Amino acid sequence: MDISGKTKICGLIGNPVEHSFSPFIHNTMSEKLGIDMVYGTFCVKDDLEAAVKGGYELGIQGFNVTVPHKQNVINALAKVDDIAGMIGAVNTLVRVDGGYKGYNTDIIGFVRELDDAGIDICANTFFIIGAGGAARAIAYILAYSKAKDIYMYNRTKEKALDIQEHIYSNLGVKIHVVDTPYVEGLTDYVAVQTTSVGLSPKVDEMPVTDERFYDAAKCGVDIIYNPFETAFMKQFAKQGKPSYNGLAMLLYQAVAAYELWNGCEVDSVVVKETYDLLRKKLGL
Ligand code: ATR
């Protein structure tokens, strides 16, 4: 890669950042597309607002933002995309006049993953397991995109009720919060696993052990990608039903950010090549 005085700079803000795969994904895309951009990481421990302001003064084109700054960064922005503002979490900053505009490309990644899998949001009922940050963003985009129906189950019910109330007050859509992952009479839903249960090395764990939950679902989506096939996904494989892991979502959130920073469209061949390289890099 030829870095010069004209090279566009982007990077990841978070703490910690050193284990991130974002530099690999973005720098691979730049190389393949011949775009003069370099992507690094910035560990920001304390003063997030100073970091964002400093980034702007230094001419940095954009940032991704990760834990623990996805919520607080909103206070440091010139503008916020509507849906990202409603969710209350931003993972991508794009340079605009007077500061950065914040987006949530995690949800764009999720929607593109569903699209790739041929899952039409409007035509399906979704059953979300978990009620953390990822579940909130996913429930929002599903409600916003007019999913047929949305159910949510979480170990701590109050957190699911909080998401329910929030979505209802912003979008007027009432998601169903349930006490158990098995709901009598409910069938043919897309089951979405958003908890950290099953993440390597605890690969045999599942957030739901009631087999009836899997029997009633039509397919499963797990946001975990390590292991490549989680115990949750194996439940679907056992029944000959499709399931999808979170690797495409990870890649597509990066693709969406890359497109915003560069005003370009990353073609599907480059996406596929980057996906294969990422999978290899992760040893999956
Ligand atoms: P993220 O931002 O990645 O979604 P998070 O906000 O910490 O992470 O949320 C983690 C989710 O995983 C929560 O829904 C959590 O359930 P609680 O709200 O009851 O804590 C869920 N989770 C984590 N460990 C779990 C476990 N062992 N069993 C069931 N759910 C679990």
Side-chain angles (χ1 to χ4, degrees), residues 24 28 32 273-282:
F24 177 80
T28 298
K32 291 195 174 291
E273 286 173 358
T274 308
Y275 179 89
D276 291 341
L277 288 169
L278 178 63
R279 185 171 170 184
K280 202 165 146 204
K281 171 102 180 154
L282 289 160

Side-chain angles (χ1 to χ4, degrees), residues 3-170:
I3 296 174
S4 74
K6 292 185 190 148
T7 302
K8 199 183 280 181
I9 299 176
C10 290
L12 174 68
I13 289 177
N15 181 23
V17 288
E18 63 266 30
H19 302 298
S20 168
F21 290 100
S22 291
F24 177 80
I25 299 173
H26 287 285
N27 292 322
T28 298
M29 289 195 289
S30 289
E31 208 176 297
K32 291 195 174 291
L33 293 163
I35 288 180
D36 192 14
M37 182 190 112
V38 67
Y39 186 103
T41 60
F42 304 98
C43 183
V44 175
K45 294 193 172 120
D46 303 315
D47 197 341
L48 179 62
E49 287 196 36
V52 172
K53 195 162 185 301
Y56 190 77
E57 292 303 320
L58 291 168
I60 292 181
Q61 172 65 11
F63 292 103
N64 283 133
V65 182
T66 189
V67 178
H69 301 311
K70 281 190 185 188
Q71 285 85 32
N72 295 341
V73 76
I74 292 177
N75 302 323
L77 302 178
K79 279 184 175 174
V80 186
D81 169 68
D82 282 352
I83 182 85
M86 279 185 220
I87 294 169
V90 155
N91 79 320
T92 298
L93 311 191
V94 180
R95 188 179 184 86
V96 293
D97 276 348
Y100 290 101
K101 179 170 179 182
Y103 295 84
N104 187 316
T105 67
D106 289 331
I107 54 172
I108 301 174
F110 179 72
V111 169
R112 279 173 78 160
E113 173 160 22
L114 293 183
D115 196 44
D116 268 4
I119 300 170
D120 176 0
I121 296 180
C122 301
N124 280 287
T125 294
F126 291 82
F127 199 137
I128 300 169
I129 303 297
R136 174 180 290 259
I138 286 171
Y140 250 103
I141 195 62
L142 291 174
Y144 185 78
S145 310
K146 306 203 169 6
K148 207 161 110 192
D149 226 338
I150 303 164
Y151 287 77
M152 181 176 278
Y153 167 76
N154 190 45
R155 179 178 64 177
T156 313
K157 188 178 178 187
E158 292 68 35
K159 286 202 211 161
L161 290 172
D162 180 62
I163 294 175
Q164 179 191 54
E165 194 208 305
H166 211 272
I167 291 181
Y168 187 69
S169 67
N170 277 301

Side-chain angles (χ1 to χ4, degrees), residues 130-135 154-156 159 194-197 207 223:
N154 190 45
R155 179 178 64 177
T156 313
K159 286 202 211 161
T194 71
T195 76
S196 48
V197 183
I223 68 164

